[in-house]
Every structure is written in structure tokens, then in C-alpha cells.
């Protein structure tokens, strides 16, 4: 095993270190979500935490880490006899983004279960992480079916594996730690709320700190063991402090005054549910124990709010997490009890109060001021795209988007095999069973009836004499299932002068923002192409970060001519490149325009020829008709016909609209092909 980077060698990142240490002191806090740009020591800090955790007492030989003091009566390896206890280091188990369901929850040997009636169970990552840390790097990219399993385990403290009437249950209580780059998309609200604390990290802009980060990292890479040895004393001292804080934790008193401040703060910031209050209470208690105190003070409550509330205040995916500290201070002051003065901040423990982590110390410490800064290496992302160019003749200032609304469902025709999502029909590992086939590789979803049917004719030849069914490997049948996939939704937005007329652009941006919200909920990738003036440009290459598309949309200027053909050709190039990168993900083209085309020779005819490229390739498409007024030319409808898709007006796009029947892309595209 490689030598981990020492936790005490991290430079700066005070909030990140504090949040991790509080969870080490009190795992009941509920874990940490670390948000930040790439290369900011997120993974480095998390991996370094496991070395600070105390050893875990376990029942000897138990694969599920049963506690000798409280043996799980339902443990698959039980029943356990008394005695035989041992201790092992706390584990940090990493869950890869592309892991299978069986790798996460474990797998049953279905062949032995059917033929022999035994529960042959191979534990998964949830069993390995029991009483330790489960770490998910790039947690926002985790597939939905794995998120569902994590949510179930986190809520119940146990993992259930049930397949074809065979059931196994084992305890699964773990500290959930996730890291993510917000540029790649956000988390589902249910999973976001399961993280007790959240921390935003960013690279320092201080030259001295950046120099020290590089110096320490190079020294570690040259000789990890020697570097770790230089920090061994500091690591041991911090480990002892964690143990002492854990021992002090049961003695910490959460007074009525602090509890009222917690409740008032959660009410003032309008967080949903009661989990925020509970997490704040546990965090404030852990802060007091970490500072060596037995009473929770106002500053502990304030620090707990800064860590526990920001990610719970979001009302939609495009809201940045954060907390108004002035409002927080006012709320705490109003809720303060009048029965006596509060001890002054910074007067309650060896750290000077507030539960802050120890300042950088050790042989390499330069005594630098605390700043957020980066260290280590996280997964590299594609370069951030440039914002649309501004300036030029006839350009108008960007207008804000109108209020978003719930849109009608749009889907891609046919059955795909893309990444799991919630938009279009697809063959997936999860969903309703539609048939069976011979397994290719390991069996994951048994089709019991088809397996029995395949094995039944051979029972006499196989010498069956008892009641059990003689099953061979060739008899097993894999269930084929149909679920939903996420698509690539490519928006082609007309930002020309004609769209700016009559204040239509605000409504147009509101409609696109609504479609982006729908794409976020359906786990799509999105891209944004805009056209105006004399050319088109890719405002945002296809990405999982829907909020990045919303940001580009908000700053989109308008004006100039309407090069519709250029916009369609640019979109065609984007889809061609994306098809090479992710062939299984099917596209849905959404063109937002009034259908007008100007500039060049025969602009309308050129747009028609460009549109027929998509029709020839069978790309599902929708034209959002933005034309308004009493006199309508119907050009958007003509464009939809050339694309082989369907057209909807802004009013018809609303889910609650009664202006017409629900527009179904599949039915309309089939109708268009028959008409052609």
C-alpha cells in the first residue's frame, strides 16, 4: 500500500480540514461533501483522514466487521460466539463512479441458491465500509441506481440484497465523504441532503502559499515514506487529539440557549425538514469537544451553521450554495438568551475557541496565513469554454430570463442503450422486465421463469432424484429490462435582432432555462449553440453541468442578422464529434427560433438544406416557435418539417398548457417521415 499524504502537511484549507476532523470526532455528524475546482487537494485530504481514525474492534473472522460489544444478530457470517475480538485500522473504501450494483452491495451465487438452497454471498463495498469511511470521488457523476442504493443504506444503516426470493441483510453504517467539481453537474437533492456538512474549496491566490504547496508535494512525490516520517509526530499528536475529543464528546452539554439558536437559524434560512437542526446540533457539540470544552457556545453554533446549511438552502439546481453571514449573526443575536452574558468568543479551549483546526505546524511549516488553496491532483476536466463573444454592430445588452416553468416531456423515439437517466426508453440493468437472454459475462439479473423453463426438459437426463432442481450454467437466463436513459440535449438558440424585438428574448431565455431544469432532472448532458450576426458559435460544448449552460444563457447578448443555416451546421458538427465520444448517448435537438433566416444568398433555402442533414440521420428534433403577434409566417413549422421533427409554441411548451395536445417527439417524427 502506498504511503498516504500526511493530513497535517496540508497547507491552508481550514474549512475542509475542520469538517473532516469533526466527522472523525463524531461520525453521527453525517459525512462531508467537498465542492471545488480540480486540483484543490479534495481527494488528498480525504485519503489522509483515515490515518487519523482510531482502530476499530471487530469480531475475528467476520467479513462484515461486527462490533464485539454489539454483535449483529442478523450478520450473514453469524451467529458469533463470545470472545475472539480483534482490532484493525479504520478503513477508507473508495466507490468508483462506474462500479456495478453487485460491486456495491455484494452478490449472491444464484446458481448455488437454486441448486443447493444455500446463501453463498460475496460482500460488496458497503460491507467493507461498515464502521469506516465510504469515499466517492466525483460523486455527482454517480449513476442513479447506485445513488438509490446509497440512500437506502444511509437511511436504514443496513444493506439488503434480494434477488429471486433469496435475501441477505447486513449492517452498513459508514461515514459518507464525497468530492465533486460543480462544473460537471450537481447532485440529486436527496443525496445532497444526506451529507451532514459541505465545504467549498478553491486554489489560493497567495504566491507564498502556492510555493509551499508545490514544495511539499514535490518532496512527497520524491520520497513518500521520508516525507511522511517528517510529519509523524504531528500526525500522532493530531490522532491523540481526535481520540481525546471522542472521549469528551458524551460529556458535552447542548444548553437550551444554543438549541434555540440552532432552531432559530434553521427557521430563518428556511431549510427543508428537520435534518439541518439535528446536524447543526451534532456539529456544534463536536466543535465544543474538539476545542476541549463541555459546553456549546454561540461561536460553535455559528461555525456549525456555516458548514451544515449552505447546501440545504438551494431552491433550484442553478442556485449557488452559500450563507448570508450578516443575516446569520443577526439571527444568532436575536435568539441569544437574556439570562447572562455569553463567554467571549475565542475563550473556550486550546484553539482559542470556534473549534478551528490547529494551524500549520511541522518541519516545513512557513507560518503562513490561512487561505483556501489547492494541492494534490484531482481528475482533469475539459478546459472551460469561453463565453459568447460580445460586441459588434446591432448588439443589444443581455436581458434576464423570465421565470422558469415546468415543461412537457420530450423524448427520443425508439429504444436506446445510453447512460441511465429519465428521458427516453432504453435497455438498462434496471426497470421492468421485458424478456430474457443468455448471459454475456457474469449473471446480474436472473430471469427465474426462463431459467426453470430451460432446465426442466433435462432433469431426467441429469439424474434428478430429489426435490431440488438440477441447474447447469447453460440454463441460466439473464433478464432483459427496459428503463430510461439520459440523452444529449443540444440547444440551438437564435440570438439575432429579430428575437430581441418586442422583448421576446426574456421569454425565450425563460423557456430555455425551463428546458435546462427539465434536463437536469432527467440526467441529460446538454450543449448550447447560439447564432447571430454573421456566424454561429458553441457557447457550451456538451457537458453534464446544466448550471453552466444556464450561466451562459443568462449572459447571452442579442442583435444582428439571423444566420440560421450556420447555427444548424454548427450543431451538426457538435453532434458528429459527440457521436465519436459517446456513441450510445442519443441526441435530442432543440432549436429555439422564430424560423426567420437572413444574410447570404437564399438564407431560407440554405437553412432547409442544413435541416435535412438531421432528418437524414434520424436525429430527433423539436423547434420551439418563438414567433409572436397577429401576423405569423409559420417559418418555424416549416423548419420542423425539414428537420423531420415537431414544432411547439412557447405556450404549448408548458406542462400545464391547454392550448393543444401533448407533443410527442416520437409520434410527430414518425408522421413527418410518412409525409416525406
Amino acid at each position: 500500500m502506498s504511503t498516504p499524504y500526511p493530513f497535517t502537511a496540508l497547507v491552508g484549507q481550514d474549512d475542509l480540514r475542520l469538517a473532516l476532523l469533526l466527522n472523525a470526532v463524531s461520525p453521527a455528524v453525517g459525512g462531508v461533501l467537498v465542492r471545488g475546482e480540480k486540483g484543490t487537494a479534495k481527494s488528498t485530504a480525504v485519503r489522509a483522514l483515515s490515518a487519523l481514525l482510531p482502530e476499530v474492534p471487530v469480531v475475528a473472522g467476520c467479513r462484515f466487521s461486527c462490533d464485539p460489544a454489539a454483535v449483529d444478530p442478523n450478520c450473514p457470517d453469524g451467529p458469533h460466539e463470545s470472545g475472539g475480538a480483534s482490532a484493525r485500522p479504520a478503513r477508507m473504501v473508495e466507490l468508483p463512479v462506474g462500479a456495478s450494483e453487485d460491486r456495491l452491495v455484494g452478490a449472491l451465487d444464484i446458481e448455488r441458491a437454486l441448486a443447493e438452497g444455500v446463501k453463498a454471498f460475496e460482500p460488496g463495498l458497503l460491507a467493507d465500509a461498515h464502521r469506516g469511511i465510504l469515499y466517492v470521488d466525483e460523486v455527482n457523476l454517480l449513476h442513479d441506481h447506485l445513488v438509490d442504493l446509497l440512500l437506502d443504506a444511509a437511511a436504514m444503516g443496513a444493506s439488503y440484497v434480494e434477488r429471486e426470493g433469496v435475501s441477505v441483510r447486513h449492517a452498513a453504517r459508514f461515514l459518507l465523504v464525497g468530492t465533486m467539481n460543480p462544473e460537471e453537474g450537481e447532485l440529486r437533492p436527496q443525496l445532497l441532503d444526506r451529507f451532514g456538512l459541505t465545504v467549498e474549496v478553491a486554489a489560493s491566490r497567495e504566491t507564498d502559499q502556492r510555493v509551499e504547496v508545490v514544495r511539499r508535494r514535490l518532496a512527497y512525490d520524491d520520497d513518500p515514506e521520508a516525507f511522511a516520517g517528517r510529519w509523524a509526530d504531528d500526525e500522532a499528536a493530531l490522532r491523540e487529539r481526535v481520540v481525546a475529543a471522542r472521549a469528551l464528546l458524551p460529556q458535552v452539554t447542548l444548553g437550551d440557549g444554543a438549541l434555540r439558536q440552532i432552531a432559530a437559524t434553521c427557521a430563518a434560512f428556511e431549510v427543508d425538514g428537520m435534518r439541518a437542526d439535528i446536524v447543526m446540533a451534532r456539529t456544534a457539540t463536536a466543535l465544543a469537544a474538539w476545542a476541549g470544552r463541555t459546553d456549546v457556545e454561540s461561536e460553535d453554533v455559528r461555525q456549525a451553521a456555516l458548514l451544515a446549511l449552505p447546501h440545504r438552502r438551494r431552491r433550484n439546481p442553478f442556485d449557488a450554495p452559500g450563507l448570508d453571514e450578516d443575516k446569520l449573526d443577526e439571527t444568532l443575536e436575536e435568539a441569544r438568551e437574556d439570562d447572562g452574558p455569553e463567554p467571549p468568543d475565542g475563550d473556550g479551549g486550546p484553539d482559542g475557541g470556534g473549534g478551528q483546526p490547529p494551524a500549520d505546524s511541522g518541519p516545513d511549516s512557513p507560518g503562513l496565513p490561512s487561505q483556501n488553496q489547492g494541492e494534490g491532483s484531482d481528475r482533469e476536466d475539459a478546459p472551460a469554454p469561453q463565453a459568447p463573444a460580445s460586441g459588434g454592430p446591432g448588439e443589444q445588452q443581455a436581458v434576464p430570463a423570465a421565470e422558469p416553468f415546468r415543461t412537457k416531456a420530450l423524448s427520443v423515439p425508439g429504444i436506446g442503450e445510453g447512460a441511465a437517466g429519465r428521458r427516453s426508453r432504453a435497455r438498462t440493468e434496471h426497470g421492468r422486465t421485458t424478456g430474457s437472454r443468455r448471459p454475456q459475462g457474469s449473471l446480474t439479473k436472473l430471469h427465474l421463469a426462463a431459467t426453470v423453463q430451460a432446465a426442466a426438459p433435462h432433469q431426467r437426463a441429469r439424474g434428478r432424484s430429489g426435490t431440488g432442481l438440477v441447474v447447469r450454467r447453460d440454463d441460466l437466463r439473464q433478464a432483459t429490462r427496459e428503463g430510461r436513459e439520459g440523452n444529449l440535449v443540444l440547444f440551438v438558440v437564435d440570438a439575432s435582432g429579430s428575437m430581441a424585438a418586442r422583448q421576446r428574448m426574456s421569454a425565450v431565455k425563460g423557456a430555455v432555462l425551463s428546458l435546462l431544469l427539465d434536463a437536469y432532472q432527467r440526467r441529460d448532458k446538454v450543449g448550447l449553440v447560439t447564432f447571430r450576426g454573421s456566424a454561429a458559435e458553441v457557447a457550451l460544448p456538451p457537458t453534464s453541468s446544466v448550471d453552466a449552460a444556464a450561466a451562459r444563457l443568462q449572459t447571452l447578448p442579442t442583435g444582428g442578422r439571423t444566420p440560421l443555416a450556420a447555427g444548424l451546421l454548427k450543431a451538426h458538427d457538435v453532434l458528429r464529434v459527440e457521436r465519436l465520444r459517446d456513441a450510445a448517448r442519443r441526441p435530442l435537438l432543440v432549436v429555439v427560433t422564430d424560423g426567420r433566416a437572413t444574410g447570404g444568398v437564399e438564407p431560407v433555402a440554405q437553412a432547409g438544406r442544413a435541416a435535412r442533414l438531421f432528418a437524414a440521420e434520424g436525429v430527433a428534433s423539436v423547434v420551439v416557435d418563438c414567433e409572436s403577434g397577429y401576423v405569423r409566417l409559420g417559418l418555424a413549422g416549416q423548419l420542423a418539417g425539414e428537420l423531420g421533427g415537431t414544432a411547439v409554441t412557447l405556450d404549448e411548451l408548458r406542462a400545464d398548457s391547454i392550448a393543444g395536445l401533448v407533443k410527442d417527439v416520437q409520434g410527430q417524427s414518425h408522421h413527418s417521415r410518412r409525409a416525406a
Side-chain angles (χ1 to χ4, degrees):
M1 180 181 295
S2 60
T3 303
Y5 193 94
F7 191 88
T8 50
L10 294 169
V11 181
Q13 304 289 32
D14 287 350
D15 287 343
L16 171 58
R17 291 188 295 155
L18 177 61
L20 292 172
L21 289 170
L22 291 177
N23 277 274
V25 171
S26 176
V29 167
V32 186
L33 174 64
V34 187
R35 298 165 46 94
E37 59 197 19
K38 52 188 177 292
T40 48
K42 301 189 296 294
S43 299
T44 301
V46 174
R47 293 189 176 101
L49 176 67
S50 59
L52 301 177
L53 299 180
E55 288 191 332
V56 178
V58 296
V59 174
C62 178
R63 297 175 298 168
F64 300 88
S65 302
C66 278
D67 186 350
V71 175
D72 182 4
N74 298 315
C75 176
D77 281 358
H80 298 298
E81 298 179 359
S82 59
S86 62
R88 61 160 175 79
R91 292 175 181 159
M92 190 194 74
V93 178
E94 294 196 38
L95 171 60
V97 169
S100 66
E101 179 180 339
D102 285 349
R103 184 70 187 97
L104 177 62
V105 301
L108 286 169
D109 189 332
I110 298 297
E111 186 174 359
R112 291 190 61 192
L114 289 176
E116 304 174 28
V118 298
K119 296 181 181 179
F121 182 71
E122 184 65 28
L125 296 177
L126 290 180
D128 293 341
H130 179 47
R131 304 175 68 201
I133 301 173
L134 182 64
Y135 171 49
V136 190
D137 192 14
E138 305 294 354
V139 64
N140 50 326
L141 303 183
L142 202 62
H143 291 305
D144 275 356
H145 67 282
L146 297 181
V147 171
D148 293 338
L149 294 171
L150 276 181
L151 289 172
D152 289 343
M156 297 184 292
S159 175
Y160 291 83
V161 182
E162 298 192 21
R163 292 175 59 183
E164 312 303 337
V166 182
S167 177
V168 172
R169 173 213 170 272
H170 65 83
R173 292 181 295 276
F174 48 83
L175 182 63
L176 182 61
V177 180
T179 57
M180 60 174 283
N181 183 347
E183 294 176 358
E184 295 184 321
E186 290 292 347
L187 284 177
R188 284 171 51 183
Q190 297 93 333
L191 182 58
L192 186 65
D193 191 50
R194 280 293 170 185
F195 287 97
L197 310 179
T198 186
V199 177
E200 294 278 342
V201 295
S204 173
R205 299 299 181 256
E206 295 290 333
T207 301
D208 290 342
Q209 283 208 355
R210 296 177 76 99
V211 167
E212 186 60 26
V213 169
V214 175
R215 180 182 292 121
R216 294 189 187 185
R217 187 71 207 195
L218 292 178
Y220 171 77
D221 291 341
D222 288 342
D223 192 341
E225 292 187 4
F227 183 81
R230 294 161 60 190
W231 293 88
D233 292 343
D234 298 280
E235 290 282 287
L238 190 58
R239 191 180 301 110
E240 291 175 1
R241 186 175 176 189
V242 170
V243 173
R246 277 195 174 190
L248 182 62
L249 186 65
Q251 305 173 37
V252 176
T253 301
L254 180 65
D256 289 343
L259 194 55
R260 289 185 64 85
Q261 285 185 317
I262 290 171
T265 301
C266 292
F269 285 99
E270 299 179 348
V271 296
D272 295 330
M274 295 297 298
R275 183 173 286 119
D277 304 63
I278 297 171
V279 171
M280 272 191 66
R282 290 170 174 167
T283 304
T285 304
L287 280 162
W290 178 248
R293 291 183 271 102
T294 56
D295 292 316
V296 174
E297 299 179 354
S298 180
E299 183 59 25
D300 298 326
V301 176
R302 185 181 191 278
Q303 183 68 57
L306 292 174
L307 293 172
L309 296 188
H311 61 300
R312 292 186 166 89
R313 293 194 61 246
R314 296 175 49 142
R315 288 297 177 264
N316 68 65
F318 307 142
D319 290 341
L323 214 61
D324 185 339
E325 295 194 32
D326 291 337
K327 180 179 179 180
L328 174 60
D329 291 335
E330 292 176 4
T331 303
L332 293 174
E333 185 63 31
E334 292 174 0
R336 192 190 300 269
E337 288 188 329
D338 297 327
D339 56 354
E342 185 81 13
D345 293 342
D347 194 27
D351 285 331
Q356 294 295 325
D360 290 322
S361 60
D364 290 330
S365 176
L368 301 172
S370 296
Q371 295 277 346
N372 281 340
Q373 96 315 307
E375 162 169 20
S377 175
D378 287 297
R379 193 174 70 81
E380 292 297 325
D381 301 295
Q386 297 297 319
S390 59
E395 182 174 297
Q396 302 181 27
Q397 187 176 4
V399 297
E403 191 69 21
F405 52 84
R406 189 166 63 91
T407 66
K408 290 182 177 178
L410 304 174
S411 61
V412 177
I415 301 179
E417 295 181 344
R422 300 176 184 172
R423 183 174 295 279
S424 304
R425 295 172 58 196
R427 285 180 286 270
T428 63
E429 288 294 319
H430 303 271
R432 63 186 183 89
T433 301
T434 59
S436 65
R437 59 175 174 81
R438 290 182 181 273
Q440 300 172 350
S442 60
L443 180 71
T444 56
K445 297 290 183 181
L446 178 75
H447 194 295
L448 181 59
T451 298
V452 172
Q453 187 177 9
H458 309 290
Q459 296 305 294
R460 181 174 297 178
R462 292 173 182 173
R464 172 184 171 185
S465 57
T467 57
L469 189 68
V470 181
V471 179
R472 302 282 172 82
R473 176 68 184 175
D474 291 342
D475 301 327
L476 299 179
R477 294 295 182 268
Q478 174 84 21
T480 57
R481 303 194 175 204
E482 183 179 305
R484 293 281 169 175
E485 67 177 359
N487 298 112
L488 166 60
V489 182
L490 182 61
F491 294 93
V492 182
V493 180
D494 185 349
S496 64
S498 66
M499 295 292 289
R502 300 173 184 164
Q503 303 299 317
R504 277 188 289 163
M505 201 60 198
S506 177
V508 168
K509 286 187 175 182
V512 178
L513 188 63
S514 303
L515 290 167
L516 285 172
L517 281 166
D518 182 67
Y520 167 80
Q521 294 166 352
R522 298 181 188 277
R523 312 299 287 177
D524 295 317
K525 289 179 70 174
V526 297
L528 179 62
V529 173
T530 64
F531 58 94
R532 60 188 173 88
S534 59
E537 61 182 339
V538 181
L540 185 72
T543 175
S544 297
S545 181
V546 178
D547 52 345
R552 297 290 193 275
L553 179 71
Q554 293 284 14
T555 58
L556 178 66
T558 59
R561 294 182 177 180
T562 312
L564 177 56
L568 294 174
L569 291 175
K570 181 67 73 174
H572 188 267
D573 289 341
V574 171
L575 293 184
R576 177 179 55 82
V577 174
E578 192 65 19
R579 194 175 293 118
L580 297 175
R581 293 176 176 171
D582 190 358
R585 190 182 289 268
R586 298 184 297 162
L588 173 62
L589 183 72
V590 179
V591 185
V592 185
T593 181
D594 56 10
R596 290 181 173 86
T598 60
V601 180
E602 297 182 341
V604 176
Q606 290 182 15
R609 286 193 291 270
R612 286 192 289 274
L613 293 175
F614 295 94
E617 296 174 359
V619 176
S621 58
V622 177
V623 177
V624 180
D625 184 359
C626 303
E627 194 172 28
S628 60
Y630 293 105
V631 179
R632 303 194 179 209
L633 302 178
L635 296 175
Q638 295 178 25
L639 177 63
E642 299 281 7
L643 287 166
T646 184
V648 295
T649 66
L650 289 175
D651 289 337
E652 292 171 340
L653 189 62
R654 294 178 178 271
D656 55 356
S657 170
I658 59 173
L661 297 176
V662 175
K663 300 292 184 179
D664 181 80
V665 179
Q666 180 176 2
Q668 292 292 329
S669 61
H670 287 177
H671 174 75
S672 299
R673 291 193 182 96
R674 288 197 300 269

